[in-house]
């Protein structure tokens, strides 16, 4: 029992700390009204910013799926068109962005891909900053701006957005190539169908004209035979003896 009494406060302390942090996040988020959330989700550059589902739902990558779902529900209610009837079109766009983000994180496969992008952004940022620190040290400078946690977080955020954008561009390029390939294939199919149709039509016309030619020739021959039968053989008159 004694050991349990020592462990329990530790767990409680961690839970309380986590709970307090969550409440602080909720408090900060509550400042954003439905209109402000719509503005946030449709701000300039949103096309690429909203590719990051964690950014759309305003959650950290290590947030549990249960907490992400709670945040999704709150945001979807805030920006729902029914609750923003003064601006339903923009609300619908924001609502769709929130739904898309949740579907990306709800699905295990796509969530892993998103996590992979986050991890790559952190790894590449750390390598970049390590080189930057070496350079600063050689130049006799102590530290770099990104040693500030907020600036470091921003550097990761910028690279994350770039990686998501690169991935989306590749996806669109593949989709465009696939569409172009399907279009080219369909055009070839149409051309082959038209050629086959033209060949069939030519064959039909040829058969009909051949039959007409045969019929004409048979008619001509029949007419020739009839003329031969009706033709009378000319016989010269007999010579009469001369009278004296």
């Amino acid at each position: 029992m004694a050991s349990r009494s020592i462990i329990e406060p530790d767990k409680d302390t961690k839970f309380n700390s986590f709970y307090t942090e969550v409440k602080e996040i909720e408090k900060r988020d509550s400042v954003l009204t439905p209109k402000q959330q719509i503005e946030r989700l449709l701000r300039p550059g949103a096309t690429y910013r909203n590719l990051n589902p964690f950014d759309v739902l305003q959650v950290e990558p290590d947030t549990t799926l249960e907490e992400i779902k709670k945040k999704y529900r709150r945001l979807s209610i805030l920006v729902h068109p029914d609750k923003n009837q003064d601006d339903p079109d923009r609300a619908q766009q924001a609502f769709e962005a929130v739904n898309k983000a949740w579907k990306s994180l709800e699905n295990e496969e796509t969530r892993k891909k998103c996590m992979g992008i986050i991890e790559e952004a952190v790894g590449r940022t750390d390598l970049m900053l390590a080189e930057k620190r070496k350079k600063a040290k050689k130049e006799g400078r102590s530290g770099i701006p990104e040693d500030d946690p907020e600036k470091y977080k921003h550097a990761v955020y910028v690279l994350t957005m770039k990686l998501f954008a690169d991935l989306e561009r590749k996806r669109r390029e593949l989709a465009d190539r696939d569409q172009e390939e399907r279009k080219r294939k369909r055009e070839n199919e149409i051309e082959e169908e038209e050629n086959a149709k033209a060949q069939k039509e030519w064959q039909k016309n040829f058969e009909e004209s051949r039959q007409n030619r045969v019929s004409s020739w048979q008619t001509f021959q029949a007419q020739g035979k009839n003329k031969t039968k009706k033709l009378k053989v000319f016989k010269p008159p007999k010579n009469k003896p001369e009278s004296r």
Side-chain angles (χ1 to χ4, degrees), residues 41-244:
L41 292 166
L42 301 181
R43 65 199 183 282
T47 302
Y48 287 107
R49 291 175 187 270
N50 291 349
L51 293 173
N52 182 352
F54 298 106
D55 188 51
V56 172
L57 299 179
Q58 295 182 301
V59 294
E60 294 299 325
D62 57 354
T63 305
T64 65
L65 189 60
E66 185 181 352
E67 288 301 319
I68 293 175
K69 188 173 185 179
K70 289 179 182 177
K71 190 60 181 288
Y72 155 69
R73 285 176 175 171
R74 289 199 297 270
L75 283 176
S76 62
I77 290 171
L78 281 176
V79 300
H80 197 283
D82 290 348
K83 293 192 176 292
N84 296 275
Q85 295 184 8
D86 59 327
D87 195 5
D89 292 339
R90 284 168 56 80
Q92 181 65 33
Q93 293 179 52
F95 182 73
E96 288 173 1
V98 170
N99 271 336
K100 184 179 178 182
W102 164 242
K103 287 178 180 177
S104 294
L105 298 181
E106 179 188 29
N107 182 277
E108 185 177 356
E109 185 178 348
T110 52
R111 185 169 70 252
K112 283 181 179 178
K113 288 181 181 179
C114 291
M115 285 299 298
I117 291 175
I118 299 293
E119 290 168 4
E120 183 181 352
V122 171
R124 287 174 60 173
T125 300
D126 289 343
L127 288 174
M128 179 185 68
L129 296 183
E131 290 298 319
K132 198 172 180 180
R133 287 189 185 94
K134 285 181 183 178
K135 185 178 179 182
K137 189 175 182 180
K138 286 180 181 179
E139 294 174 352
R141 292 182 286 111
S142 58
I144 56 175
E146 288 80 7
D147 288 334
D148 182 326
E150 286 301 315
K151 290 182 179 179
Y152 170 78
K153 187 175 180 179
H154 179 70
V156 172
Y157 171 80
V158 170
L159 185 54
T160 299
M161 188 171 68
K162 182 180 181 302
L163 292 177
F164 271 109
D166 289 344
L167 186 67
E168 176 64 11
R169 275 193 289 269
K170 288 177 182 177
R171 186 195 68 77
R172 290 183 181 182
E173 286 172 3
L174 286 173
D176 289 343
R177 281 203 295 269
D178 185 55
Q179 184 178 2
E180 188 63 31
E181 179 64 22
R182 288 199 304 270
K183 181 182 177 183
R184 186 186 63 79
K185 186 178 179 180
R186 182 56 187 153
E187 287 174 350
N188 289 341
E189 288 174 353
I190 292 172
E191 185 178 357
E192 289 174 2
E193 289 171 2
E194 290 177 347
N195 289 340
K197 184 179 178 181
Q199 179 67 20
K200 187 177 180 181
E201 188 69 24
W202 181 88
Q203 189 67 30
K204 180 183 175 183
N205 293 336
F206 176 80
E207 290 296 332
E208 289 177 353
S209 62
R210 185 177 70 83
Q211 187 60 41
N212 290 336
R213 289 195 303 274
V214 170
S215 298
S216 297
W217 175 248
Q218 289 174 343
T219 302
F220 173 76
Q221 285 183 319
Q223 289 175 348
K225 287 178 180 179
N226 292 335
K227 287 180 180 179
T228 303
K229 287 179 181 179
K230 292 178 180 180
L231 183 63
K232 293 182 178 180
V233 178
F234 174 76
K235 293 181 179 181
K238 292 181 179 181
N239 293 329
K240 292 182 179 181
E242 293 182 3
S243 58
R244 293 182 182 267

